[in-house]
Amino acid sequence: MPERRTVALVTLGCARNEVDSEELAGRLAADGWELVEEAADADVAVVNTCGFVEAAKKDSVDALLEANDLKDHGRTQAVVAVGCMAERYGKELAEALPEADGVLGFDDYTDISDRLRTILSGGAHVPHVPRDRRKLLPISPAERQGAAVALPGHGDAAAPGPSPADLPDGVAPASGPRAPLRRRLDSSPVASVKLASGCDRRCSFCAIPSFRGAFVSRRPSDVLGETRWLAEQGVKEVMLVSENNTSYGKDLGDIRLLETLLPELAAVDGIERIRVSYLQPAEMRPGLIDVLTGTEKVAPYFDLSFQHSAPGVLRAMRRFGDTDRFLELLDTIRARAPQAGVRSNFIVGFPGESEADLAELERFLVAARLDAIGVFGYSDEEGTEAATYENKTDPETVAERLDRVSRLAEELTAQRAEERVGETVRVLVESVDGEDGPVGRGAHQAPETDGQTFLTGLTGSSQLSVGQMVEAKVVATEGVDLVAEPPPDVVWGCSESSEEAGA
């Protein structure tokens, strides 16, 4: 019997990467690997990198170098890069960063166990030469479902996985041709589920489609099956993620498939909240707004990718809309759900952006009343159309505009939080043992990006535990965070169940 090896997965970047890490964990656990939390305790540290923007790439390199340092004074014998940066640069990354003992692309995920064993035994893995992954799939979306292309988070296109009887506890069985093995890497009551992969949009600033590929939906049965399994693992909130959730179903023959799927997901036993992320304003439709604002257990939450609001800048970005159209969309949403949560990201300093364009963006931000705002300064991304544009904004001006809009965003989101004082919010409790007491999130607050809700004023005889849903009245704010009081018969207590859930 081969020696049991240990592996740690270090995940950087977005929620999509977190799903990919749990698929890799499922594959490794099914093949006999022991998963450990700390890289220092592992024979091999697998770093799931982010390749989106320069800052994220730097963080990924730093994480690889930090893991490499463990080889000098710990158990760690090998450091392996996977994820978006590894896929995007492949051989180039391997040559530039010899501290990584292996650089694995998406095509290696199916054989991740063999790859790691080879590297640990001193064998060499030849890194891939990157390709534009959009070209690996048919142009017609309807022909993509049967293509034998590696899609992280989707499982294998052809070969079935091991039977459930052969899997260790805590690993989700692959129940269909595109259903992944999965092993949870934490005990949070929140988990992401991939709705699709890739993107067919051609935003001039974005390189993601080139290494994530063209848009491919997961089948509803696979999404439902994975959600049911997560509910069995104690998950209460599922966040649907992809590069573009509003396109879901277009390659399955029904662009309105999300409207059908959401009520089915909300009906899964044990699930208390379904959240949809990554929505494109230009693809929003009345039926989808109705389902997002009118379905029990579906959060009225809108993660809308506006990016800017000045029409000239948006056209240069290969995007659509303007300030007034975006405000009309928000009015439509709030007419159906006044407490709906809305967040978005924006780029300032895009090539050709004028002071008038920036003022137009500020006009939109002031009127939009967004709950969360991310602001990024433009920088060239290799391989994108915008990198070839002339009339670039100089770095000093980009930095000034970033600071200016970031300060405005901070002020506006704090004001929006203050508007919620007096509202009743449904809070999912995520921790109870910290110095802040019970902390959770309302329906308008996505994990890690949109603030938290601190529960206070607890009296009575009941006890809160991780994973519990509590209705509470907002009584104060701290920036974007809320302070809310549950009803008087609820009290915070570190019960045995809450300690186990937070472990």
Side-chain angles (χ1 to χ4, degrees):
M1 184 175 179
E3 179 184 358
R4 189 171 179 83
R5 295 291 197 173
T6 56
V7 59
L9 286 140
V10 179
T11 306
L12 294 94
C14 64
R16 301 186 294 274
N17 254 17
E18 294 171 6
V19 176
D20 294 349
S21 285
E22 294 199 347
E23 180 188 6
L24 292 174
R27 292 181 182 277
L28 291 166
D31 203 41
W33 289 76
E34 180 182 348
L35 295 161
V36 296
E37 290 186 10
E38 300 296 332
D41 299 327
D43 295 314
V44 56
V46 176
V47 180
N48 193 348
T49 61
C50 179
F52 180 36
V53 293
E54 203 60 41
K57 287 182 276 189
K58 182 182 183 302
D59 288 344
S60 296
V61 170
D62 289 345
L64 288 163
L65 294 174
E66 182 178 341
N68 181 69
D69 289 342
L70 298 173
K71 292 191 290 187
D72 295 331
H73 51 266
R75 173 170 179 162
T76 309
Q77 302 172 44
V79 176
V80 175
V82 300
C84 289
M85 189 170 74
E87 171 61 40
R88 184 176 182 182
Y89 295 104
K91 183 179 179 181
E92 180 184 346
L93 177 62
E95 292 173 348
L97 196 70
E99 291 86 353
D101 299 285
V103 175
L104 307 182
F106 297 153
D107 292 332
D108 293 307
Y109 282 20
T110 300
D111 301 311
I112 184 69
S113 180
D114 289 342
R115 298 287 187 270
L116 297 190
R117 290 186 189 279
T118 296
I119 292 168
L120 272 180
S121 65
H125 172 73
V126 178
H128 64 283
V129 176
R131 300 171 292 174
D132 187 335
R133 295 191 72 84
R134 291 170 292 192
K135 298 179 180 178
L136 302 181
L137 288 161
I139 294 176
S140 169
E143 297 175 5
R144 295 174 187 166
Q145 284 291 319
V149 173
L151 299 171
H154 287 231
D156 299 338
S163 68
D166 297 329
L167 294 173
D169 291 341
V171 176
S175 57
R178 275 293 190 187
L181 297 168
R182 181 168 180 173
R183 168 74 176 267
R184 296 213 68 204
L185 294 173
D186 60 39
S187 57
S188 167
V190 184
S192 296
V193 171
K194 271 201 179 177
L195 199 59
S197 284
C199 186
D200 288 342
R201 301 182 71 86
R202 294 294 179 264
C203 300
S204 63
F205 56 85
C206 183
I208 289 176
S210 66
F211 54 85
R212 277 290 184 179
F215 185 88
V216 181
S217 301
R218 292 183 67 198
R219 293 191 175 277
S221 58
D222 289 341
V223 178
L224 274 166
E226 191 169 340
T227 299
R228 293 188 183 107
W229 176 80
L230 288 168
E232 292 170 358
Q233 306 301 304
V235 168
K236 299 300 180 183
E237 177 178 325
V238 164
M239 184 164 73
L240 300 178
V241 299
S242 74
E243 279 73 24
N244 177 10
N245 281 334
T246 34
S247 283
Y248 180 68
K250 74 174 188 179
D251 52 326
L252 295 172
D254 186 359
I255 191 61
R256 294 176 296 277
L257 195 55
L258 185 55
E259 288 94 304
T260 303
L261 178 61
L262 284 172
E264 295 184 60
L265 292 171
V268 171
D269 287 343
I271 296 298
E272 295 292 335
R273 180 183 289 157
I274 299 291
R275 184 184 304 277
V276 184
S277 60
Y278 304 110
L279 300 169
Q280 289 292 340
E283 297 182 35
M284 290 301 294
R285 46 196 180 269
L288 180 56
I289 294 174
D290 288 343
V291 171
L292 288 170
T293 56
T295 306
E296 185 179 4
K297 294 188 177 181
V298 173
Y301 176 79
F302 294 80
D303 177 10
L304 293 163
S305 179
F306 289 123
Q307 302 298 346
H308 212 283
S309 74
V313 175
L314 286 167
R315 301 306 173 267
M317 290 178 169
R318 304 295 183 203
R319 297 180 65 83
F320 306 94
D322 55 47
T323 295
D324 293 335
R325 289 188 208 176
F326 291 163
L327 292 176
E328 288 174 8
L329 173 60
L330 295 177
D331 286 344
T332 299
I333 290 168
R334 288 172 175 143
R336 289 164 172 76
Q339 292 186 8
V342 187
R343 83 167 320 277
S344 192
N345 293 326
F346 299 87
I347 298 172
V348 297
F350 194 79
E353 180 191 60
S354 65
E355 279 293 332
D357 293 328
L358 192 67
E360 183 68 1
L361 173 59
E362 291 172 325
R363 179 173 83 89
F364 170 70
L365 292 174
V366 169
R369 297 169 52 237
L370 304 178
D371 293 276
I373 300 171
V375 187
F376 301 89
Y378 173 81
S379 61
D380 284 340
E381 272 295 308
E382 57 190 288
T384 63
E385 180 185 354
T388 68
Y389 286 177
E390 299 179 355
N391 198 20
K392 296 282 176 61
T393 306
D394 66 81
E396 293 78 11
T397 301
V398 173
E400 290 171 2
R401 292 179 179 180
L402 175 61
D403 180 66
R404 168 177 156 185
V405 177
S406 295
R407 283 188 280 107
L408 175 63
E410 184 176 357
E411 178 184 346
L412 293 173
T413 51
Q415 290 176 4
R416 177 66 184 121
E418 290 174 0
E419 291 178 14
R420 293 190 178 274
V421 172
E423 290 183 359
T424 297
V425 291
R426 195 162 182 254
V427 180
L428 174 64
V429 179
E430 294 184 311
S431 68
V432 296
D433 299 331
E435 61 182 24
D436 295 315
V439 180
R441 291 176 298 100
H444 70 286
Q445 296 170 316
E448 299 188 17
T449 60
D450 301 346
Q452 299 174 303
T453 298
F454 299 93
L455 296 171
T456 187
L458 298 166
T459 60
S461 59
S462 300
Q463 292 187 329
L464 291 182
S465 59
V466 171
Q468 184 176 347
M469 280 284 191
V470 179
E471 288 197 351
K473 183 177 180 180
V474 180
V475 296
T477 65
E478 298 177 6
V480 297
D481 297 327
L482 305 182
V483 179
E485 289 185 355
D489 61 342
V490 178
V491 66
W492 166 42
C494 298
S495 65
E496 181 178 350
S497 61
S498 69
E499 290 174 353
E500 289 175 352

